[in-house]
Structure formats: C-alpha cells, structure tokens
Amino acid sequence: MLFKVFYQESLHQVPVRENTKTLFINGESERDVRKKIADRAYNIEYVKPVTGAYLEYEKQNEHFKVLEI
C-alpha cells in the first residue's frame, strides 16, 4: 500500500505548515512506514494511505516520486 508522509526536516523545530514536506513510500501499514524512515530523524506529522482517485490525482503532480526503502 502507498502512504503519503507529511513531515518537517528537523526534530528540534516547531512544526510550521509552510515548511511541511511530503514523501510517498510503500509499506504494509503506518507502523511499517514509520519504521522505514525512523533513521532519517524527521518530525513526522501525519501518515496517510493513498488509494483510488486520490492516488491518481497525486500521480499527476510533477514531483510525485515513491521513495524506495
């Protein structure tokens, strides 16, 4: 299943919406995704499954890229 992860690059800063970044990653569950990116020291705000029409919409974005871990 594909998940969209909303995160801040630093654990030591207060999350600010304008600085939120996203990445897409395949995983079995939200827990699996969090484990896969735990070594990156991101401040993870939210992990959301991406399916159906929402996935098709995201694929149209020029920055759509699935992180392979």
Side-chain angles (χ1 to χ4, degrees), residues 6 15 21 58:
F6 297 84
K21 300 193 179 193
E58 288 291 351

Side-chain angles (χ1 to χ4, degrees), residues 17-29:
R17 177 177 285 168
E18 290 78 16
N19 296 335
T20 298
K21 300 193 179 193
T22 61
L23 63 87
F24 295 90
I25 187 167
N26 282 312
E28 297 295 320
S29 65

Side-chain angles (χ1 to χ4, degrees), residues 22-56:
T22 61
L23 63 87
F24 295 90
I25 187 167
N26 282 312
E28 297 295 320
S29 65
E30 181 179 336
R31 177 180 280 181
D32 182 44
V33 169
R34 288 179 180 270
K35 276 185 182 179
K36 287 181 177 182
I37 57 176
D39 63 332
R40 295 174 184 250
Y42 290 154
N43 184 0
I44 300 170
E45 295 178 31
Y46 189 63
V47 178
K48 178 179 182 174
V50 181
T51 59
Y54 183 51
L55 176 58
E56 294 306 315

Side-chain angles (χ1 to χ4, degrees), residues 1 3 7 10 13 23 35 45 56-57 61 65:
M1 177 175 257
F3 289 87
Y7 69 96
S10 174
Q13 293 181 348
L23 63 87
K35 276 185 182 179
E45 295 178 31
E56 294 306 315
Y57 172 77
N61 186 340
K65 183 176 143 186

